[in-house]
Amino acid sequence: MTDIKDRKDIELLVDAFYGKVRTDDLLGPIFAAVIKDNWPKHLEKMYGFWETILFNVRAYSGSPFPPHAKLPIEKQHFDRWLKLFHGTVDQHFKGEKAEEVKNRSTQMGMMFNHKLEHLRNKV
C-alpha cells in the first residue's frame, strides 16, 4: 500500500468513497436527493477540493460550507461520513498524506457540525 501522491490517487479515493456513500442507508438518500444524476460534476469538484487541500494546487474555488447548511444533516451524518471516508482511506492508502486527509476531514466534519448547530440554534 502506498501513500496518496497525486490527483490519480485522489480520484481513486473519492470514487471509492462516494461509491460507498451512494449505497449507505443513512447518507445515500441525502446525496441522491441533492445530486440526482449530477455525480460526474460533483466528483470532479471533490477531486479538485482534495487536490487543493492535500497538494496546495488551485484546483478548487468556492466555499464548501454553504451547500451543506441547507441539508437535513446532523452529527450522526458527519460521524457516518467520517467512518466511511477514513475506512476508504485506510483501505487504499498508508502514509503521511493518508493521515493528513483523515485529520483534515475530521477537522472539517467537526467544524461543519459545529457551524450547523450554531445556525440552527439561532433560529
Side-chain angles (χ1 to χ4, degrees):
M1 212 178 305
T2 63
D3 202 359
I4 301 168
K5 55 192 173 311
D6 55 26
R7 183 171 173 113
K8 184 178 174 190
D9 289 338
I10 290 170
E11 290 175 6
L12 170 65
L13 170 61
V14 168
D15 289 346
F17 168 67
Y18 281 105
K20 293 176 183 180
V21 165
R22 291 171 87 165
T23 61
D24 185 77
D25 61 333
L26 181 64
L27 300 177
I30 294 169
F31 277 86
V34 174
I35 295 176
K36 298 178 177 54
D37 62 352
N38 294 318
W39 278 101
K41 182 179 177 182
H42 181 71
L43 294 173
E44 189 64 36
K45 189 180 289 187
M46 294 300 94
Y47 303 152
F49 177 80
W50 287 112
E51 187 175 21
T52 299
I53 296 292
L54 290 178
F55 298 111
N56 202 27
V57 172
R58 192 84 168 121
Y60 173 85
S61 62
S63 179
F65 180 73
H68 295 85
K70 304 172 198 136
L71 299 177
I73 53 177
E74 298 175 1
K75 185 175 184 319
Q76 66 177 338
H77 298 94
F78 288 105
D79 291 345
R80 178 75 60 88
W81 190 97
L82 287 170
K83 180 181 178 187
L84 292 175
F85 189 75
H86 290 187
T88 306
V89 172
D90 291 341
Q91 181 180 5
H92 295 279
F93 302 101
K94 183 176 184 164
E96 185 178 323
K97 289 291 183 188
E99 291 305 312
E100 180 181 350
V101 78
K102 290 190 297 185
N103 290 334
R104 300 289 283 273
S105 64
T106 298
Q107 292 169 357
M108 280 183 255
M110 289 170 47
M111 180 193 64
F112 275 31
N113 186 56
H114 178 73
K115 286 175 78 170
L116 283 173
E117 286 178 356
H118 179 74
L119 283 174
R120 291 175 183 156
N121 288 334
K122 285 177 71 174
V123 176

